[in-house]
Structure formats: structure tokens, C-alpha cells
Amino acid sequence: MHIHDILAADQTTISFEFFPPKTEADAQALYQNITLLEALQPSFVSVTYGAGGSTRQLTHDLVLRLKQTTSLDPIPHLTCVCHSENEIEDILTKYAEAGVSNTLALGGDPPRDLANYNRKSDAFQHAADLVRFIRSYNERGAHPHAKGFGIGVAGFPEGHPATPNRLEEMDFLKAKVDAGADYICTQLFFDNRDLYDFRERCELAGIRVPIIAGIMPITSLAGMRRMAQLALGARFPAKLLRALDRAANDPEAVKRVGIHWATEQCRDLLDNQVRGIHFYTLNRSDATRQIYQNLGLQDSTTLRRTALKQAT
């Protein structure tokens, strides 16, 4: 389904993110978790794209497997770094032929083994350029769906780490939306006030597309530290840190604290009419399924998606 249709069907979308497995053992674990999460009937799932396209083929393989062997609607990530127009065109064509209806257009990072990579040779200097190219692909009628690819972009409630000027940052986000983005999916955050302020600033800037909130439950202290590194500056509220400190010697207690915090975040987001919640699953299922149960989402979501399938 095109993202417009998904958003029209669900008052609040619920979605999951996966990353491509690199080993057979990782693949088996992921597909077991996908089976468990598929039962929750999410609105869609997304698949990440490694720095500089380093997981290009793995991403493609996972997206096609999800499309062909599950009921899930996969949204592949695409990045600007290390890509030519011909390469992006080829990727889009393969996805279009496979019936994939949406993509998430990102700036991306250079591969770790190319730390001094010069981006001047890249065809797309900014995510807005990639959005514009995908939109032109749609306008050429290259996608079999009349609407072409739905296009998502990233948003940063706590601020983009590479753009300390917050006014300029909002200009960049608006440029992505004006280039043709259909929705925004945010980076993870742990204080909902950051999301609500971000939502208001978008409205003031004339950004009217739906905003989907990114949530990542903390399940271990080591994972939290990796999360902080990957997010390049995630803010952990003092109340959360105090609770984690109290549980620090008990891994199961740490996990319970993280799931409780994420549950309360999601409950508050639902109460405040957030347009969607996107779970960064880290290819696991336990935390997300527990949050579903805590919120009473599992049965209602299943009924909603079943009714939608029957209607179509």
C-alpha cells in the first residue's frame, strides 16, 4: 500500500524497523522475531540501509523476502552517500518491479572504512536532492502504481547533530518536504516534550505532512550506550537515568524499566494524537510485544487490520 493509503486506513500507524542480518544465525533469529511481530499486523515495517549503501544487497534481499513471504508492507531506506543517479534508478526500478510502494530517503553516512570520503562526487548532496529524484521517477510513470513511490524523510526532535543552527535545520526539513516527501519519521527520543515541540515548530514552518514518532525501548545498559553513540546525541532524561541506576545490577530489572518508560511514552503519544509510532526493534520482538500488551494494542490492531483487508 502507498503510504497515503496506509495513513488513511490507520488513525495512528504502528510500525517496526529491522536491519539486514549479516550472518545465517542472525538471519534465523530475525525471521523468528519477524514471525512474532507479523502477528501484531503493523501498518508497515522499514528496512535500514548501511552506511554508504554497505548493506545494499542485504537490504534488497530482506525487503523482497518480506514482500514475498509475509503479509508485511516493507519500506526500504535509501541514502545519498556513495551513489550515482543510475544506481538509485536501478534500485528504484527493482523495488517497483517487486511491488514495493514506499521508500525512506536519507542523507546517510559514509562507510566506516571511508572516513575521509569526499562527498562532492555523489550525485545527491542532500536528502532533498534524493527526494526530488524519486519524485521525478514517479512523475515519469516508472512505477506501476499510479501514485508511484510514497516518500518518507527523517526528522530530529532533539535536533540534527550535524546542524547546530535549529532555524537552519528546520529550513532543511522543509526543503525535503517541499521536494516531495509524504511523511516524516523521527529519530528516537525519550522525552515526549521534544516531539511535541518539534511538531509545533514544523507547523510554524509550514510543514504539514504526517509526523511518525520513533521509539526505541531500552533493554540493557550496554544497548543504551550503543544507542547514544548511534543517535549522535540522544538525550536521556534524569528520571529515566535514576530508574536505570536503581536497576543497574539486575539486567531483567533494567529491561523492565526500559519497557515501562517506552510504554508510558507511547501511552502519552497516543493520548496526544500522534500520527504514528515507529518502533526501532533492533531485530528483537520481546520489548515491542510487551509494549503492545501493556497498551492494549494487540487485539485492537489485529481487528483493525483484518477489517481493512476484508474491505479491500
Side-chain angles (χ1 to χ4, degrees):
M1 294 173 66
H2 190 280
I3 192 64
H4 286 171
D5 300 322
I6 292 171
L7 289 162
D10 294 340
Q11 183 177 359
T12 302
T13 62
I14 305 293
S15 53
F16 310 138
E17 179 174 286
F18 306 124
F19 59 84
K22 294 183 179 180
T23 69
E24 184 57 34
D26 288 343
Q28 290 180 5
L30 172 59
Y31 295 132
Q32 289 174 357
N33 285 316
I34 285 173
T35 299
L36 294 170
L37 290 172
E38 183 181 6
L40 303 181
Q41 300 200 15
S43 306
F44 62 88
V45 298
S46 70
V47 180
T48 66
Y49 197 71
S54 55
T55 64
R56 183 185 314 184
Q57 189 59 46
L58 294 174
T59 297
H60 178 268
D61 293 345
L62 178 54
V63 169
L64 262 58
R65 180 163 179 172
L66 290 169
K67 184 69 177 174
Q68 295 168 357
T69 66
T70 74
S71 61
L72 300 171
D73 209 334
I75 297 183
H77 293 196
L78 271 180
T79 64
C80 299
V81 178
C82 300
H83 283 325
S84 67
E85 287 192 1
N86 287 340
E87 287 171 331
I88 294 295
E89 175 103 12
D90 182 59
I91 293 168
L92 291 173
T93 298
K94 289 179 179 178
Y95 282 141
E97 290 173 348
V100 175
S101 301
N102 304 286
T103 188
L104 187 69
L106 306 168
D109 301 311
R112 292 183 180 88
D113 59 348
L114 295 176
N116 297 317
Y117 179 74
N118 186 349
R119 290 212 53 205
K120 290 183 180 180
S121 60
D122 290 341
F124 309 101
Q125 294 297 303
H126 305 284
D129 301 324
L130 181 55
V131 171
R132 199 171 293 109
F133 184 82
I134 299 170
R135 184 63 64 187
S136 69
Y137 183 93
N138 291 344
E139 291 170 353
R140 286 187 275 119
H143 196 291
H145 193 292
K147 295 178 182 177
F149 282 104
I151 308 170
V153 294
F156 298 82
E158 297 178 2
H160 194 291
T163 312
N165 184 328
R166 296 293 169 250
L167 297 177
E168 188 176 49
E169 176 195 37
M170 196 55 62
D171 291 339
F172 292 156
L173 180 58
K174 190 172 190 306
K176 292 191 287 188
V177 173
D178 290 346
D182 298 295
Y183 72 102
I184 296 166
C185 188
T186 79
Q187 175 64 284
L188 61 92
F189 59 93
F190 295 96
D191 189 329
N192 286 1
R193 291 175 296 181
D194 290 322
L195 187 280
Y196 300 143
D197 182 73
F198 174 74
R199 192 165 63 175
E200 285 191 55
R201 287 186 288 119
C202 284
E203 185 176 348
L204 289 169
I207 297 171
R208 308 297 185 196
V209 298
I211 299 172
I212 295 173
I215 297 294
M216 183 181 285
I218 294 171
T219 56
S220 72
L221 295 181
M224 180 180 73
R225 295 188 180 280
R226 287 195 301 273
M227 189 187 308
Q229 181 65 32
L230 291 171
L232 297 177
R235 187 170 67 84
F236 297 89
K239 287 183 179 180
L240 172 59
L241 293 177
R242 276 198 295 269
L244 291 169
D245 283 344
R246 289 193 293 268
N249 295 323
D250 185 343
E252 285 302 312
V254 168
K255 185 176 180 180
R256 287 195 298 271
V257 168
I259 290 173
H260 174 74
W261 187 274
T263 297
E264 287 303 297
Q265 272 195 276
C266 293
R267 178 198 56 74
D268 184 70
L269 291 169
L270 291 170
D271 288 347
N272 284 277
Q273 292 77 51
V274 72
R275 198 60 186 84
I277 297 175
H278 189 63
F279 289 97
Y280 296 105
T281 69
L282 296 179
N283 286 7
R284 299 184 179 93
S285 64
D286 286 355
T288 301
R289 289 188 293 123
Q290 287 186 48
I291 293 168
Y292 254 63
Q293 292 171 354
N294 293 343
L295 294 170
L297 281 175
Q298 187 164 353
D299 292 339
S300 62
T301 302
T302 299
L303 289 171
R304 184 197 71 235
R305 304 304 292 179
T306 300
L308 175 62
K309 288 181 179 179
Q310 291 174 345
T312 56

